[in-house]
Amino acid sequence: MTDTAYLHRIEYFRRQGNGSLVCEHVETVDDHGWYIERGKEWKARYTRGCAEEFLARAKAPQGVYSVAVWRGPTRVCTVGLHWSG
């Protein structure tokens, strides 16, 4: 395996007042957590945990976020998140 065996791109979109989504943050992580357990529920829970940690670290503004995780051209998971800041 290489050092980037589990490279993922996480995109953070925040819902605007008019309902549109704007990409406010993008991060690249080398993390295998999405594959510890099978199923959509685990991937969603893991994504929410990663997003909460990142948004806190980034001091992101409160709001409703759509968080999408990609591994190469494949979407791993997308979740909605109410972030209180």
Side-chain angles (χ1 to χ4, degrees):
M1 281 195 193
T2 67
D3 290 340
T4 58
Y6 292 100
L7 199 61
H8 291 81
R9 175 182 170 95
I10 307 176
E11 302 170 336
Y12 298 87
F13 296 86
R14 189 164 61 95
R15 185 162 308 281
Q16 304 301 297
N18 65 3
S20 66
L21 292 170
V22 173
C23 185
E24 292 197 342
H25 303 282
V26 175
E27 70 172 327
T28 301
V29 298
D30 191 13
D31 188 338
H32 74 284
W34 287 275
Y35 310 101
I36 292 172
E37 292 185 29
R38 294 179 187 239
K40 292 178 183 180
E41 287 181 31
W42 169 255
K43 289 178 181 179
R45 190 171 81 183
Y46 193 79
T47 299
R48 281 189 191 92
C50 291
E52 289 171 354
E53 187 274 332
F54 175 82
L55 292 172
R57 192 168 22 98
K59 295 181 174 41
Q62 66 181 355
V64 177
Y65 285 81
S66 176
V67 182
V69 179
W70 298 86
R71 185 173 184 195
T74 304
R75 185 176 55 85
V76 175
C77 183
T78 301
V79 299
L81 178 71
H82 292 267
W83 176 246
S84 60

